[in-house]
Amino acid sequence: MKKTLSIITGIGFIVLFASFALLKSCIIQNPQPEDCIVIDVKVSKITEGSAMDIVFHDDGTDFYYINRGLEQGLNLDSLKTIILNKTVTLHLAKVLGGVTSEHISQMALGNDIIYTEFKN
């Protein structure tokens, strides 16, 4: 009985640790250019998402977002004036062993950086 309880407790700790590690790998913290893929996207629509996010839609079904962009001082109307119907370069953060997220770490229009999370 005591041995069974020890085994169950051990398995519980392993599952808890594995769950924590998995969740932590999905959190994007301090992204760097080498941790991103770079794509060019034509922005066809810009909307407000949940939690003050700014969501950029392409001509198809894909979308990308700036996490809490409205809290960071970005403005939907200004962004629509600057980048709507134009092709932008996005740095998208990788999570979970290289899987690409829709999280925008940097957005540029030509040589102008519209938004960045990269620290100098």
Side-chain angles (χ1 to χ4, degrees), residues 5 24-25 54 57 60 64-65 70 73 86 88 99 104 112 116:
L5 184 58
K24 186 161 175 60
S25 71
I54 300 174
H57 304 264
Y64 310 93
Y65 69 94
L70 296 174
K86 294 182 183 165
V88 296
V99 175
I104 298 171
D112 296 327
T116 189

Side-chain angles (χ1 to χ4, degrees), residues 30-38 91-94 118:
N30 192 22
Q32 298 301 313
E34 59 271 11
D35 300 326
C36 298
I37 67 152
V38 180
H91 283 72
L92 301 175
K94 294 180 195 172
F118 301 146

Side-chain angles (χ1 to χ4, degrees), residues 2-115:
K2 193 172 186 181
K3 186 176 181 179
T4 304
L5 184 58
S6 296
I7 292 172
I8 291 173
T9 302
I11 291 172
F13 280 121
I14 290 170
V15 169
L16 184 63
F17 177 76
S19 298
F20 175 75
L22 180 65
L23 288 174
K24 186 161 175 60
S25 71
C26 292
I27 296 172
I28 301 166
Q29 298 176 350
N30 192 22
Q32 298 301 313
E34 59 271 11
D35 300 326
C36 298
I37 67 152
V38 180
I39 63 169
D40 292 324
V41 173
K42 182 176 179 186
V43 178
S44 63
K45 184 168 120 181
I46 303 171
T47 60
E48 181 178 346
S50 61
M52 307 272 300
D53 293 349
I54 300 174
V55 182
F56 301 88
H57 304 264
D58 69 3
D59 289 333
T61 60
D62 291 331
F63 65 92
Y64 310 93
Y65 69 94
I66 295 176
N67 190 41
R68 300 193 178 273
L70 296 174
E71 286 181 353
Q72 299 182 51
L74 296 173
N75 180 285
L76 284 177
D77 292 330
S78 296
L79 288 169
K80 287 177 183 177
T81 301
I82 296 168
I83 65 171
L84 194 61
N85 297 315
K86 294 182 183 165
T87 300
V88 296
T89 301
L90 303 178
H91 283 72
L92 301 175
K94 294 180 195 172
V95 294
L96 200 59
V99 175
T100 305
S101 70
E102 286 84 22
H103 175 91
I104 298 171
S105 295
Q106 180 170 289
M107 174 186 283
L109 178 61
N111 292 326
D112 296 327
I113 296 177
I114 306 299
Y115 170 79

